[in-house]
Amino acid sequence: MTSVAEVLGFSLSGASSFRPWIQTREDGQSLRRRIVEMVWEDLKPRDILTDASFDNAIAAVLALSGSTNAVIHMLALGRTRGNQAHHRSF
């Protein structure tokens, strides 16, 4: 699911490949900085989620032999998006 979050744009690039013992203080600072920027930009999930991002997330789940539970989470995100994304025929 971390890979899906990254592909959807909900995490910093490379976040799903971090190993816990490599994370540094700078990693945390860059994450906090980006969160503040997103608040100032008034960025919302519906601004990030696109049809293409869902297509890429589904491809990532398939490529990584991910759980079918990921589909349930992506459907919920589609509903959060506030449009017809959850009615798409994948």
Side-chain angles (χ1 to χ4, degrees):
M1 284 310 299
T2 306
S3 297
V4 170
E6 184 175 341
V7 171
L8 286 171
F10 280 139
S11 69
L12 296 178
S13 295
S16 63
S17 61
F18 282 157
R19 293 179 290 183
W21 57 87
I22 293 180
Q23 288 182 341
T24 63
R25 184 175 182 181
E26 290 78 27
D27 295 331
Q29 288 173 338
S30 66
L31 178 59
R32 288 186 294 273
R33 187 176 310 115
R34 182 60 190 136
I35 290 169
V36 171
E37 290 170 356
M38 289 167 56
V39 169
W40 284 109
E41 294 169 8
D42 196 29
L43 195 59
K44 296 182 176 50
R46 68 177 169 265
D47 300 326
I48 298 170
L49 299 173
T50 64
D51 288 345
S53 66
F54 278 103
D55 291 343
N56 290 336
I58 291 167
V61 169
L62 294 172
L64 297 170
S65 300
S67 169
T68 54
N69 198 34
V71 175
I72 295 169
H73 293 291
M74 285 189 277
L75 287 170
L77 285 169
R79 288 184 191 99
T80 300
R81 185 173 158 193
N83 62 24
Q84 299 300 314
H86 59 286
H87 294 295
R88 286 187 62 213
S89 172
F90 294 107

